[in-house]
Amino acid sequence: MNGPLSRLLLPLVVVATLLALTPVAALADGPASRRPGVLRMQTVPPLAGVQVTVDGTTVRSDRHGRIAVRVRNFLGLADRIVVASAAVGPDRRVVFDRFRGSPDAGVRRIVEVGLRTVRRVSWSFVERLGAPVPADRITTMRLRSSTGEIHELSGADLVRPRWVAESRTQQGPRGLASKQLYYVVDSVVVDGTSVVNRAAQRFVPWDRQEWVIELLFFKVTFSATDMIFSRRAGDGVMLTRADGRAEQLGFTADGTVLVPDLPRGTYEVKVAGGGVSFGRPVSISRDQQVVLSVISPLDLSLVILGVLAVALGLILVGRPHLGRALLRWRRPSWLRLPTRRPAVAPGSGTPAQPVPAPTSPGTGEQPVPVSAGGSEQPVPVSAGAGVPDPPVTEPAAPATRPQVVHGASPAPAGRAARRSDGRRGAAVAVAALLTLLAPLPVADRPASAAAPAWQAPAGPPDAAPPWVVAPPHAAAAPTPAGTSAPVPVLAYYYIWFNPTSWNRAKTDYPLLGRYSSDDTEILRRHVRMAKAAGIDGFLVSWKHTPQLDARLAALVDVARRENFKLGIVYQGLDFGRDPLPLPTVRADLGHFADRYATEPVFDIFGRPVVVWTGSEKFTAEQIDDTVGAARSHLLVLGNAKNVDTVADTRGVLDGQAYYWSSADPVEEKTDRKLTAMSEAVKRTGGLWIAPVAPGFDARMIGGRRDVDRRDGATLRASFAAARRSVPDALGVISWNEFSENTHIEPSERHGETYLDVLADLLGRAVDHDVLLESHATSNEKPWGLPAWAALLSTVAVAAVPPFWLVYRRRRARSAVTPPTQRGAAPQVDPVDL
């Protein structure tokens, strides 16, 4: 038995030895990983026809994107699986992107295969009314994807279909997820100018392969008129486009020329023929009629005659004897009448009344001039000899003694009347000249130049600020039912954006691109967009750092030029939402007060408004110790979130601005809380800024709440709830808080929808063609004189100095001329009387 037993024990010993040398993990997983099996995979996104090769075996995914392939084992699959880049349709290709985890885990679960897809797209161009635009009119086109990929197209590429990235995968909490990409049209250049609003048109290749790109072509009618007489003039117009190309367009029989498809942009236009015309820049952003002026030969003749007439008048005024000589020279001799100068009675200064001279029949007596004594002496003439008889002297009329007052003779009434008339005429002439030289507006004055309806007129220095609430017993003016007085509309504004800020926690992006807050042009366009929608100012998020100080200074300069208001939201919390030290807050507010307390841009309620974020984390004593000095120059508001906090800070703050962006005014009774907050604030005589928000979604930064925008219904309900709280101002949350998705700035996802809704609530209409024009430099309307007034003003201005010199010369000459030579009565000394 020893032989058979030993033969059985020997294999058992060998097996036991092998088991002892094998690791425990190999005993657990080794057999399943090393054995043949079926590898199951799922494509992300789920696509049919995706080709996968493993160990020489090729399979394709089904219509749900599922793949099952038999493998010899599950070790090193990452190197053995080949996902081919191939077409899965006539217009779609797939490219392998990533696995979720290691494919070797396929022994226990389904392996996710992430794919990037590429789509074949094409496009066509149409004008605003749908008429096709041939591609040969396009110079270049620039497309930009949501990942920042740029496609610059020109020439044949403008008509050739193109393969573009359609989707990509990203790791999510539940596995791989496919993210669809979209493209925006940054520019389409025609004749040297872009004819699209930047990023306003968006296309998703997953949903649409044929893109229709709308171009901004406008119908423009040109005509020309005589500058002074307003009649038709000229043969046509010379139109110079943005690329420098010029063409002449002739007028039709009705004196106009129509260009039905003029690209949006700025052109230089002047009239061809008909006189003198100067190039004039014309900005085309809508269908319009452009009327140009021509200085015709008739206009030139009139101006030359006017200048000559002024010059001749100056000469005649300065040299009166030339005028008299000219009149005598021009008067025919047969029209000249014998004249005689009336004698002046001695001592009277006035002509003596003539005494009629009787004539005797047959004596031939003739009247003679009055003698020095005032009598007329007839000279008898003999009928036969013609020898005069001795003169007969009539007794002279007694001379009238002039009245003397304090030793001076009064000026004659006629001269005084003439002097008064001259002064009145001079006053009328000066008034007419000032009226002519007044800056007549070519268009209406921009609305921004007028004071807002909510801004109270300036009162005495010791008057109460306009935000102070009257006591309950004070009489109030009746207000029509359903209406309330207008209040400032302020939007929360953030200046913390850098180019890299857009790479984190963003699901939407501005139509202006992923900007930096250092860009002054972006600041200017934000201000103009806000003004166009009826927003009166920004509440700027700020704290004292070199970068934010520089950005705030740039924004202040822009706001000053654009007549726009600013307030401050002091960020008293750090990135971890912990309050800043109170000495830091005190120093920062002191720095702001020293620099901006007297800046008119911050004058919304008499003093600059500063909202202290995080003030609710301190006691009333701490707040008073921190902001007590600053409140003499600033209005420091808190950020209380309930009525109890308002009561706790009574007397140490100037009001409250509630930043309630996550409220849902449609599903919740937010108006009750806002009304209670308002009443609590106003019981302390404070300023109340009520919140208005279009929606909320902070899940990308760790939040859990999501308030749907409801295509503007949320914004309308929030606006109504805020107005019912009778605020001193509305605080719109926000202009550009893209991380919490409360922005109303025009964006790639929402376009201009929420700016339009707010403008509608404020009774404003937004011009979208102007709102997003990349070439716009100003929204102010031009001021100046019409051409005819400019010419007449030039002539009038040129005539003023000579007339003034002549006037001064005549005054000087009159001052040195003796009164007797001017026909005035001699002065009589009272002693001689």
Side-chain angles (χ1 to χ4, degrees):
M1 293 179 60
N2 292 334
L5 183 61
S6 62
R7 287 194 297 270
L8 291 174
L9 291 174
L10 183 61
L12 293 175
V13 172
V14 172
V15 171
T17 303
L18 292 174
L19 291 175
L21 296 175
T22 303
V24 176
L27 290 174
D29 293 337
S33 300
R34 294 177 182 277
R35 290 198 304 265
V38 177
L39 174 64
R40 289 180 170 80
M41 293 179 284
Q42 174 67 53
T43 65
V44 180
L47 293 173
V50 179
Q51 179 178 306
V52 178
T53 302
V54 185
D55 299 336
T57 302
T58 300
V59 294
R60 293 181 181 273
S61 61
D62 62 13
R63 63 189 182 92
H64 299 292
R66 296 176 298 202
I67 301 172
V69 58
R70 191 161 187 82
V71 296
R72 63 175 181 266
N73 57 51
F74 293 88
L75 300 176
L77 285 176
D79 298 327
R80 294 157 52 196
I81 298 176
V82 178
V83 181
S85 299
V88 294
D91 53 17
R92 177 176 283 152
R93 297 174 182 170
V94 294
V95 179
F96 173 71
D97 191 8
R98 71 177 82 182
F99 291 114
R100 182 193 179 192
S102 172
D104 295 352
V107 68
R108 295 183 299 273
R109 59 179 175 81
I110 297 174
V111 176
E112 291 184 351
V113 181
L115 303 173
R116 289 182 287 112
T117 62
V118 184
R119 196 72 180 268
R120 184 176 183 267
V121 298
S122 60
W123 48 77
S124 59
F125 303 99
V126 299
E127 53 99 20
R128 294 177 305 124
L129 301 180
V133 177
D136 56 9
R137 290 200 63 181
I138 313 298
T139 306
T140 61
M141 179 171 68
R142 186 175 189 265
L143 303 175
R144 176 168 50 88
S145 74
S146 53
T147 60
E149 182 183 5
I150 302 297
H151 296 264
E152 296 279 0
L153 308 175
S154 61
D157 291 337
L158 291 170
V159 296
R160 183 183 298 144
R162 192 175 187 86
W163 291 92
V164 298
E166 179 186 31
S167 68
R168 60 184 178 88
T169 56
Q170 59 186 16
Q171 184 70 44
R174 298 183 179 179
L176 294 181
S178 178
K179 183 176 181 180
Q180 298 177 3
L181 306 182
Y182 61 86
Y183 290 78
V184 295
V185 183
D186 273 347
S187 66
V188 176
V189 178
V190 177
D191 298 341
T193 182
S194 180
V195 290
V196 296
N197 290 325
R198 185 173 183 265
Q201 300 182 64
R202 185 176 67 170
F203 303 97
V204 182
W206 188 279
D207 299 331
R208 191 175 182 181
Q209 296 173 253
E210 297 179 355
W211 303 347
V212 178
I213 301 174
E214 182 179 301
L215 307 183
L216 298 176
F217 287 173
F218 299 99
K219 183 184 299 184
V220 182
T221 302
F222 294 97
S223 61
T225 61
D226 184 283
M227 186 174 60
I228 295 179
F229 299 100
S230 299
R231 57 187 180 86
R232 294 179 186 174
D235 303 323
V237 295
M238 182 65 70
L239 183 69
T240 303
R241 301 176 184 265
D243 59 0
R245 183 167 52 91
E247 62 177 325
Q248 183 169 340
L249 308 173
F251 288 144
T252 58
D254 62 351
T256 64
V257 57
L258 172 65
V259 183
D261 55 353
L262 194 63
R264 181 193 67 177
T266 302
Y267 298 81
E268 182 176 330
V269 187
K270 69 177 182 177
V271 181
V276 179
S277 176
F278 302 98
R280 164 188 164 188
V282 177
S283 181
I284 304 299
S285 59
R286 64 184 184 277
D287 294 341
Q288 62 191 89
Q289 295 182 350
V290 178
V291 181
L292 305 172
S293 296
V294 181
I295 303 176
S296 67
L298 183 58
D299 298 334
L300 290 174
S301 302
L302 181 62
V303 171
I304 292 172
L305 289 176
V307 172
L308 293 177
V310 170
L312 180 60
L314 292 175
I315 294 173
L316 296 179
V317 170
R319 302 289 188 273
H321 62 281
L322 295 179
R324 291 192 295 268
L326 181 62
L327 292 176
R328 286 196 300 269
W329 175 76
R330 295 191 52 157
R331 181 178 298 175
S333 58
W334 55 273
L335 284 178
R336 295 179 185 173
L337 297 177
T339 59
R340 57 185 178 178
R341 187 172 181 178
V344 179
S348 66
T350 57
Q353 296 297 326
V355 179
T359 58
S360 301
T363 62
E365 291 182 347
Q366 298 179 353
V368 296
V370 180
S371 66
S375 62
E376 190 175 277
Q377 299 177 356
V379 179
V381 180
S382 173
V387 177
D389 295 332
V392 179
T393 304
E394 296 288 336
T400 305
R401 181 181 294 273
Q403 298 179 358
V404 178
V405 180
H406 300 293
S409 175
R415 189 189 311 147
R418 288 193 300 272
R419 184 177 301 163
S420 177
D421 292 342
R423 290 174 180 174
R424 285 195 294 267
V428 171
V430 171
L433 181 61
L434 293 177
T435 302
L436 181 63
L437 296 179
L440 304 175
V442 176
D444 293 336
R445 181 185 289 268
S448 61
W454 50 265
Q455 192 167 6
D462 57 347
W467 52 268
V468 174
V469 180
H473 60 273
T479 302
T483 64
S484 58
V487 297
V489 179
L490 311 173
Y492 288 83
Y493 185 79
Y494 298 92
I495 55 175
W496 58 35
F497 290 102
N498 297 315
T500 57
S501 302
W502 304 100
N503 299 332
R504 175 184 176 274
K506 303 293 187 297
T507 59
D508 195 9
Y509 302 94
L511 281 183
L512 294 179
R514 303 180 186 190
Y515 52 73
S516 168
S517 297
D518 292 315
D519 190 341
T520 304
E521 182 59 28
I522 290 295
L523 303 180
R524 181 177 296 108
R525 295 184 68 182
H526 280 171
V527 168
R528 290 174 180 172
M529 288 180 185
K531 286 181 62 179
I535 296 173
D536 301 300
F538 285 153
L539 292 173
V540 186
S541 178
W542 171 85
K543 60 183 175 183
H544 183 29
T545 67
Q547 184 181 60
L548 295 182
D549 287 348
R551 291 173 175 177
L552 178 62
L555 182 58
V556 168
D557 183 63
V558 170
R560 187 186 302 115
R561 296 173 184 271
E562 299 292 334
N563 193 24
F564 195 67
K565 296 299 183 182
L566 298 178
I568 290 295
V569 177
Y570 177 71
Q571 293 298 328
L573 302 175
D574 60 17
F575 193 77
R577 309 300 295 173
D578 295 323
L580 297 179
L582 291 178
T584 301
V585 177
R586 185 185 301 108
D588 287 359
L589 294 184
H591 168 80
F592 176 80
D594 291 342
R595 184 167 184 181
Y596 294 115
T598 59
E599 170 59 56
V601 163
F602 292 98
D603 184 11
I604 303 176
F605 297 102
R607 284 178 283 166
V609 172
V610 176
V611 181
W612 178 9
T613 300
S615 61
E616 70 279 4
K617 298 182 180 293
F618 300 100
T619 65
E621 292 76 12
Q622 291 174 316
I623 294 174
D624 187 40
D625 181 64
T626 303
V627 303
R631 289 180 63 195
S632 61
H633 305 287
L634 309 174
L635 293 174
V636 182
L637 277 61
N639 191 30
K641 296 176 173 57
N642 53 62
V643 174
D644 293 338
T645 305
V646 174
D648 292 341
T649 58
R650 179 180 304 173
V652 297
L653 291 171
D654 296 303
Q656 298 289 338
Y658 187 13
Y659 194 93
W660 196 14
S661 57
S662 58
D664 188 343
V666 177
E667 300 292 339
E668 304 166 356
K669 300 297 184 181
T670 60
D671 53 345
R672 296 181 180 177
K673 182 175 182 179
L674 294 181
T675 300
M677 292 278 290
S678 173
E679 292 174 352
V681 172
K682 293 189 175 183
R683 276 196 296 269
T684 66
L687 180 69
W688 166 242
I689 300 180
V692 177
F696 181 84
D697 184 3
R699 291 175 293 178
M700 291 290 290
I701 55 176
R704 297 182 179 180
R705 187 168 175 80
D706 175 22
V707 179
D708 188 59
R709 292 186 175 232
R710 303 181 181 91
D711 293 328
T714 302
L715 177 57
R716 293 182 182 275
S718 179
F719 185 90
R723 289 304 299 263
R724 282 194 290 271
S725 70
V726 194
D728 298 291
L730 295 176
V732 179
I733 308 172
S734 62
W735 178 264
N736 58 346
E737 223 300 11
F738 282 84
S739 296
E740 294 183 351
N741 289 286
T742 61
H743 55 280
I744 63 171
E745 176 186 355
S747 65
E748 295 177 357
R749 172 177 292 184
H750 304 296
E752 303 93 18
T753 300
Y754 295 94
L755 209 58
D756 284 342
V757 172
L758 181 62
D760 180 62
L761 291 169
L762 298 174
R764 301 289 292 270
V766 180
D767 186 349
H768 297 108
D769 290 337
V770 177
L771 185 64
L772 293 175
E773 281 184 357
S774 59
H775 65 274
T777 57
S778 176
N779 66 347
E780 296 180 357
K781 298 181 180 180
W783 278 67
L785 289 171
W788 62 268
L791 279 177
L792 293 181
S793 299
T794 302
V795 173
V797 170
V800 167
F803 270 117
W804 177 253
L805 291 176
V806 169
Y807 172 74
R808 296 290 298 177
R809 181 176 177 181
R810 292 179 65 88
R811 287 285 303 272
R813 183 181 300 174
S814 299
V816 300
T817 303
T820 54
Q821 296 184 16
R822 299 198 301 265
Q827 296 184 357
V828 180
D829 192 342
V831 178
D832 297 335
L833 295 180

